[in-house]
């Protein structure tokens, strides 16, 4: 968990608002969540790299994506640990979570959960909003 953090990329709020549509802004800059089963990447199996929609930083690879049936794209690991950062999230009473943010621009991506029993190489599920990412196909 990180307490003090300065993003590598900063922009004034007005620039983020002009760059992102309303939903992108609400999720990426205000830690919102898109509705489950509505995102364009929930069931996508296209090979490629998922980038931060706000800054273009590479975050996840399709090889780490799996079907969790939770309503959002799920990954068992980020591309590299230095691509994301983690923040304790106590916004839901009685249910502490770990928020996942882009390490480059500090945009909200989603949450990571542990110990859910998925048959993956890690015991983690990165539950990421589709609207927080762009998929760059490998072919």
């Amino acid at each position: 968990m990180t307490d003090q953090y300065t993003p590598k990329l900063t922009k004034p709020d007005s620039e983020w608002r002009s760059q992102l549509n309303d939903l992108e802004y609400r999720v990426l800059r205000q830690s919102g969540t898109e509705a489950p089963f509505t995102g364009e990447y929930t069931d996508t199996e296209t090979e490629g790299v998922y980038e931060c929609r706000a800054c273009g930083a590479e975050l996840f690879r399709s090889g780490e994506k799996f079907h969790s049936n939770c309503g959002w794209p799920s990954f068992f690991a980020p591309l590299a640990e230095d691509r994301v950062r983690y923040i304790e999230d106590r916004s839901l009473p009685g249910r502490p979570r770990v928020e996942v943010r882009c390490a480059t621009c500090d945009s909200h991506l989603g949450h990571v959960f542990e110990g859910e029993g998925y048959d993956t190489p890690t015991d983690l599920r990165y539950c990421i909003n589709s609207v927080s990412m762009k998929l760059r196909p490998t072919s």
Side-chain angles (χ1 to χ4, degrees):
M1 302 276 172
T2 306
D3 291 60
Q4 298 295 331
Y5 181 76
T6 303
K8 298 170 193 146
L9 172 68
T10 58
K11 293 182 182 185
D13 189 61
S14 59
E15 199 170 324
W16 287 122
R17 283 191 182 275
S18 67
Q19 174 187 334
L20 304 168
N21 69 34
D22 289 344
L23 178 60
E24 292 167 349
Y25 182 83
R26 185 173 58 78
V27 172
L28 289 158
R29 304 311 304 167
Q30 296 179 319
S31 299
T33 301
E34 66 191 355
F37 301 103
T38 62
E40 67 180 304
Y41 301 127
T42 302
D43 296 316
T44 300
E45 294 187 10
T46 304
E47 289 186 27
V49 175
Y50 290 87
E51 302 171 337
C52 176
R53 190 173 298 266
C55 72
E58 294 182 344
L59 302 169
F60 299 93
R61 292 194 190 280
S62 58
E64 282 73 41
K65 188 173 187 284
F66 69 100
H67 293 285
S68 68
N69 299 311
C70 71
W72 294 273
S74 296
F75 302 85
F76 59 80
L79 190 141
E81 278 299 321
D82 66 347
R83 305 300 173 97
V84 297
R85 74 184 203 97
Y86 306 98
I87 300 173
E88 185 176 286
D89 178 356
R90 294 192 170 272
S91 62
L92 295 178
R95 187 173 169 207
R97 303 179 293 172
V98 177
E99 179 183 3
V100 180
R101 289 182 165 259
C102 174
T104 300
C105 69
D106 202 35
S107 287
H108 172 76
L109 303 172
H111 291 85
V112 62
F113 302 95
E114 184 176 14
E116 296 178 318
Y118 289 102
D119 185 21
T120 59
T122 68
D123 195 24
L124 303 173
R125 176 175 59 93
Y126 287 79
C127 183
I128 307 298
N129 292 283
S130 285
V131 73
S132 296
M133 304 178 292
K134 291 184 292 187
L135 173 60
R136 183 171 35 88
T138 53
S139 54

